[in-house]
Amino acid sequence: MKKITLAHGSGGTLMHDLIKDLFLKHLDNPFLNRLGDSALIDTRKKKIAYTTDSFVVNPIFFPGGDIGKLAVCGTVNDLAVCGARPQYLSCGMIVEEGFDYTDLEKITLSIKAACRQSGVNIVTGDFKVVEKGAADKIFINTSGVGEVFEKAHLSISRIRPGDKIIVSGPIGDHGAAVLLARGELKFRSRLLSDCAPLSGLISSIICRDIKFMRDPTRGGLATTLNEISLASGYNISIDESCIPVRGPVMALCEILGLDPLYMANEGRVILIVSSGSASRILSRMRRHTLGRASRIIGEVERRRTKRVYLKTMVGGARILDMLMGEQLPRIC
Amino acid sequence: MKKITLAHGSGGTLMHDLIKDLFLKHLDNPFLNRLGDSALIDTRKKKIAYTTDSFVVNPIFFPGGDIGKLAVCGTVNDLAVCGARPQYLSCGMIVEEGFDYTDLEKITLSIKAACRQSGVNIVTGDFKVVEKGAADKIFINTSGVGEVFEKAHLSISRIRPGDKIIVSGPIGDHGAAVLLARGELKFRSRLLSDCAPLSGLISSIICRDIKFMRDPTRGGLATTLNEISLASGYNISIDESCIPVRGPVMALCEILGLDPLYMANEGRVILIVSSGSASRILSRMRRHTLGRASRIIGEVERRRTKRVYLKTMVGGARILDMLMGEQLPRIC
């Protein structure tokens, strides 16, 4: 009998297949079928974005954040990359019997701080307790609602050859920080997760010249670019020498045979912008704390084989596939 | 160190304390503070209801439903009792590694059927897998958004002495059916959970004379009436001889020393209606499949000691407290 594997939750190919063959097949409707980070709903007067995410990160506290901060930032970011101003969040917690009250309070305070920073409120919630052993400590689901900016004109169908790819900062920090926090490696570093709400950065730059945005979470930069290439039809090429990766992330990846291009991020955004506007948008991004290290890393190609290419430092080019299985379970 | 217990997730006093002392304390905002089944959000042109619930029911398949049907009905009902027409749902699944694909498909088909019956769509979703042993089979969170009917004028502050209490059908079926499905008891019955979407019934009766509605889920009828009494300030009395309870539910409760008044329901609604309109609303409810067995079970009293009284069949009266601890974990 077919079983669900960790790879089905990876953000990679297997998860995409599951979504297509099971969920879209049965729950088919025009909102869900778009498979955006948020659903976009037209009401009489305005467009609303609506999204959800469950968080099962292990460990629940890690350098740079915890499951509470992550649960707010994750949902805020899914709304923000759809061009919406995050406004209202829901929060559902599933807690294992015996969980420390003080840890629950710490997590609640992180939620509070992240809500403040993002300008959102938790307006509805739910709290469930399961018996010891039926859940690993705490899982948090958040959903979120936000109004889409009138200035936002985001659509994968607007992507054209020559468009530039921008990333808002170093990649892989979250994945590496969580991996290190598991404490199974003798590797010391002051590396912090990049976990942060992108709503401020994005609202400061949103304009018609931004054609598409996405936050490269599970599956990392490589998987997100593959999704964009698949959906737009155009090849994408990125330049290894332009992709910012911190020293400790690179070192950790080398030791473990991981690739930072597939590591999860929780406070980074990838933008596809028209060629002529790229330097203007880049300089505006760099004025924001969360965008100081923004870089143009590549562009949309004319060819339509739906491939992502990495131009390597030694002058070659290799195909970057979508993540196949699971690189790192419970990273978010 | 203070620990979270199963009773913190019971829907009873301990959960109310936790919500007040932890979540409301830190996440304080006017939407959340109202503690409604849904948050009510005023947009420029209309009022929107927004709610969330996590479902951890055990077993995941039970007579009359499964975790998928429950996850849709639970959220649809929370919107409906706030006077909203449920429209858009989110769905986040956390699945244990090794879970059967066919079971996941069955659950997805239940979600589909319940969405059809309620007239809603799942518009956004999330799927996470955790390693074997880190979660018990599957947990589902749904959140939902709906537009509040203009005809709805629901507010606990409109409750006055003399108002009638209506319940839409027999109580305790869901709690009893799930308990039996656990298979630990040698007690056979064809009892089905009452799990059903209330949106159709409620939209067929919604009018100004309905002052307040709530679905008595965790904690059952007694806990819900206590919440209403606490929030309105008025005592409530109900008449034991009028409360519909099915034979097998009563028998099961007698064997186990449980009280059907505290058993969970997933397809029942309690209404507080003005005295003069009660019989008219009752007869309209009885025209709907899910309201055929509706009964007036009691009324709002003049006294303000915030107590709920049960007039017993033998002619006495006893105080019905809020559920203190946990009667039955993982009932929804």
Side-chain angles (χ1 to χ4, degrees):
Chain A
M1 199 186 276
K2 206 165 147 192
K3 303 279 187 186
I4 300 299
T5 64
L6 284 171
H8 282 112
S10 64
T13 320
L14 273 171
M15 190 168 94
H16 281 80
D17 291 348
L18 184 74
I19 288 172
K20 203 174 68 211
D21 299 340
L22 182 61
F23 300 123
L24 288 191
K25 181 176 151 199
H26 296 311
L27 305 178
D28 157 80
N29 66 68
F31 307 102
L32 190 64
N33 297 355
R34 264 181 242 141
L35 280 188
D37 270 359
S38 308
L40 294 174
I41 300 163
D42 274 307
T43 68
R44 266 171 288 169
K45 284 241 125 185
K46 58 193 177 183
K47 201 180 241 178
I48 294 290
Y50 182 25
T51 190
T52 190
D53 246 325
S54 294
F55 297 86
V56 297
V57 67
N58 175 31
I60 53 175
F61 297 99
F62 49 82
D66 61 32
I67 191 170
K69 180 181 183 186
L70 192 60
V72 173
C73 294
T75 285
V76 159
N77 293 349
D78 278 347
L79 294 172
V81 297
C82 292
R85 182 169 64 86
Q87 293 170 290
Y88 306 108
L89 259 58
S90 75
C91 178
M93 294 183 178
I94 299 172
V95 175
E96 185 184 13
E97 179 187 13
F99 191 74
D100 277 343
Y101 185 90
T102 46
D103 282 348
L104 188 61
E105 185 154 37
K106 262 193 238 172
I107 290 166
T108 306
L109 288 169
S110 294
I111 290 175
K112 176 186 185 172
C115 282
R116 286 231 171 129
Q117 204 189 336
S118 332
V120 299
N121 279 317
I122 305 282
V123 298
T124 182
D126 178 56
F127 188 76
K128 291 284 190 316
V129 183
V130 295
E131 65 274 28
K132 201 152 181 70
D136 187 12
K137 296 188 270 298
I138 182 169
F139 301 145
I140 302 183
N141 175 285
T142 49
S143 76
V145 171
E147 200 175 329
V148 177
F149 288 111
E150 281 179 19
K151 285 185 284 187
H153 290 85
L154 301 166
S155 166
I156 229 159
S157 65
R158 292 185 58 219
I159 293 177
R160 292 288 175 275
D163 286 349
K164 299 297 180 194
I165 322 276
I166 299 177
V167 65
S168 65
I171 60 163
D173 292 6
H174 177 74
V178 170
L179 192 55
L180 282 174
R182 292 191 185 157
E184 293 155 7
L185 297 164
K186 282 189 185 134
F187 184 101
R188 288 217 178 172
S189 157
R190 268 181 281 174
L191 186 70
L192 301 180
S193 161
D194 53 296
C195 180
L198 291 165
S199 42
L201 170 64
I202 289 175
S203 72
S204 77
I205 57 166
I206 191 79
C207 64
R208 202 184 170 86
D209 292 317
I210 301 175
K211 298 186 172 183
F212 194 71
M213 288 190 281
R214 188 151 271 197
D215 53 332
T217 55
R218 276 183 290 181
L221 178 68
T223 301
T224 301
L225 290 178
N226 267 286
E227 287 167 357
I228 297 173
S229 174
L230 264 175
S232 70
Y234 293 107
N235 288 8
I236 286 175
S237 75
I238 55 173
D239 195 335
E240 190 172 20
S241 64
C242 297
I243 300 168
V245 184
R246 290 189 206 278
V249 175
M250 194 58 97
L252 182 75
C253 284
E254 276 173 11
I255 291 168
L256 298 176
L258 297 171
D259 187 337
L261 295 170
Y262 292 90
M263 299 283 272
N265 310 273
E266 290 292 343
R268 303 289 175 237
V269 54
I270 299 170
L271 295 89
I272 316 282
V273 305
S274 64
S275 167
S277 67
S279 62
R280 184 174 42 82
I281 290 169
L282 193 68
S283 70
R284 270 200 281 161
M285 287 178 74
R286 288 182 173 160
R287 268 179 240 148
H288 193 281
T289 325
L290 290 174
R292 292 228 188 292
S294 297
R295 299 283 296 268
I296 296 172
I297 59 166
E299 64 180 23
V300 177
E301 301 276 344
R302 201 161 289 282
R303 287 191 65 197
R304 309 199 57 153
T305 56
K306 301 183 179 180
R307 291 261 184 215
V308 179
Y309 286 91
L310 179 74
K311 292 183 195 160
T312 61
M313 304 223 198
V314 293
R318 67 173 171 98
I319 292 172
L320 277 187
D321 276 323
M322 195 175 274
L323 184 63
M324 256 301 290
E326 178 62 299
Q327 196 187 33
L328 211 51
R330 297 183 62 188
I331 206 67
C332 61
Chain B
M1 201 184 275
K2 205 164 145 191
K3 303 279 186 187
I4 299 299
T5 65
L6 283 172
H8 281 112
S10 64
T13 320
L14 272 170
M15 190 169 93
H16 281 81
D17 290 347
L18 184 75
I19 288 172
K20 202 175 65 205
D21 299 341
L22 182 61
F23 300 123
L24 287 191
K25 181 176 151 197
H26 295 311
L27 305 178
D28 158 79
N29 66 69
F31 306 102
L32 189 64
N33 297 356
R34 263 181 244 143
L35 280 187
D37 269 0
S38 307
L40 294 174
I41 301 163
D42 273 307
T43 67
R44 265 172 288 169
K45 283 243 126 187
K46 57 189 177 186
K47 200 180 241 179
I48 293 290
Y50 182 25
T51 190
T52 190
D53 245 324
S54 295
F55 297 86
V56 297
V57 66
N58 175 33
I60 54 175
F61 297 98
F62 50 83
D66 62 31
I67 192 170
K69 181 181 183 185
L70 192 60
V72 173
C73 295
T75 285
V76 159
N77 293 350
D78 279 348
L79 294 171
V81 297
C82 292
R85 184 168 63 88
Q87 294 170 289
Y88 306 108
L89 259 59
S90 75
C91 178
M93 294 184 180
I94 299 172
V95 174
E96 184 183 14
E97 181 187 13
F99 191 73
D100 276 344
Y101 185 89
T102 47
D103 282 347
L104 188 61
E105 185 154 36
K106 262 193 239 172
I107 291 166
T108 307
L109 287 169
S110 295
I111 290 175
K112 176 186 185 173
C115 282
R116 285 233 172 129
Q117 205 189 336
S118 334
V120 300
N121 279 316
I122 304 282
V123 298
T124 182
D126 179 55
F127 188 77
K128 292 282 191 316
V129 183
V130 296
E131 65 274 29
K132 199 152 184 67
D136 186 12
K137 297 186 271 296
I138 182 169
F139 301 144
I140 302 183
N141 175 286
T142 49
S143 75
V145 171
E147 199 175 330
V148 177
F149 288 111
E150 281 179 19
K151 287 185 283 188
H153 290 84
L154 300 165
S155 166
I156 228 159
S157 65
R158 291 185 58 219
I159 292 177
R160 292 289 175 275
D163 286 351
K164 299 295 180 194
I165 322 277
I166 299 176
V167 65
S168 67
I171 58 163
D173 292 4
H174 178 74
V178 170
L179 192 56
L180 282 174
R182 292 191 186 156
E184 295 156 6
L185 297 164
K186 282 188 186 137
F187 183 102
R188 288 217 176 169
S189 157
R190 267 180 281 171
L191 186 71
L192 301 180
S193 162
D194 54 295
C195 180
L198 292 165
S199 42
L201 170 63
I202 289 175
S203 72
S204 76
I205 56 165
I206 191 82
C207 64
R208 201 184 171 88
D209 292 318
I210 301 175
K211 297 186 172 183
F212 194 71
M213 287 189 281
R214 189 151 273 197
D215 53 333
T217 55
R218 274 183 292 180
L221 179 67
T223 302
T224 301
L225 291 179
N226 267 285
E227 288 168 357
I228 296 173
S229 173
L230 264 175
S232 69
Y234 293 108
N235 289 7
I236 287 175
S237 74
I238 55 173
D239 194 334
E240 191 172 20
S241 64
C242 298
I243 300 168
V245 185
R246 288 188 207 278
V249 175
M250 192 60 94
L252 182 73
C253 283
E254 275 172 12
I255 292 169
L256 297 176
L258 297 172
D259 187 338
L261 296 170
Y262 292 90
M263 299 283 274
N265 309 275
E266 290 292 344
R268 301 290 176 237
V269 55
I270 299 170
L271 295 88
I272 317 281
V273 305
S274 64
S275 168
S277 67
S279 62
R280 183 174 42 82
I281 290 170
L282 193 67
S283 69
R284 271 200 280 160
M285 288 178 75
R286 288 183 174 161
R287 266 179 243 148
H288 193 280
T289 323
L290 290 174
R292 293 227 188 292
S294 297
R295 299 285 295 267
I296 295 173
I297 58 166
E299 63 178 25
V300 177
E301 302 276 343
R302 203 161 288 282
R303 286 191 65 196
R304 308 198 58 153
T305 56
K306 300 184 181 179
R307 293 261 184 214
V308 179
Y309 286 92
L310 179 74
K311 291 184 197 159
T312 61
M313 303 220 197
V314 292
R318 68 174 171 95
I319 292 173
L320 277 187
D321 275 323
M322 195 174 273
L323 184 64
M324 256 302 291
E326 177 63 299
Q327 197 188 35
L328 211 52
R330 297 184 61 188
I331 206 66
C332 61

